[in-house]
Amino acid sequence: MIGNKVYIIAGGVISVLFVALAMVEFSTGYPDDGLQDLLYAAVSAGAGTLLYVLDRRQRERRAAARRDAR
């Protein structure tokens, strides 16, 4: 099973790639496509952030469960 950190890293990498693609499209005269790529970058960054927060909460719950089990 792939861990949450892999998805978090992938979200960050994809976000950076979309920003780079948007910069290229803005410079070549396709501003509408560049805006769409920026939207995709925001969505992928948001997904990565959400996964980070959920992963952190899951770790906190596991740590609390281990403390309570002792």
Side-chain angles (χ1 to χ4, degrees):
M1 186 166 136
I2 297 176
N4 290 338
K5 288 187 180 191
V6 173
Y7 291 117
I8 294 167
I9 292 169
V13 169
I14 290 170
S15 178
V16 169
L17 290 175
F18 273 123
V19 168
L21 184 61
M23 291 172 57
V24 168
E25 288 178 347
F26 278 128
S27 67
T28 57
Y30 296 100
D32 292 336
D33 292 338
L35 289 174
Q36 185 178 8
D37 289 337
L38 288 178
L39 174 67
Y40 293 152
V43 168
S44 62
T49 302
L50 177 65
L51 285 172
Y52 173 77
V53 169
L54 293 175
D55 184 55
R56 191 170 173 188
R57 286 184 182 175
Q58 183 181 23
R59 288 179 187 266
E60 289 172 357
R61 277 190 238 131
R62 285 182 187 165
R66 287 181 191 149
R67 282 192 309 265
D68 291 342
R70 291 181 185 175

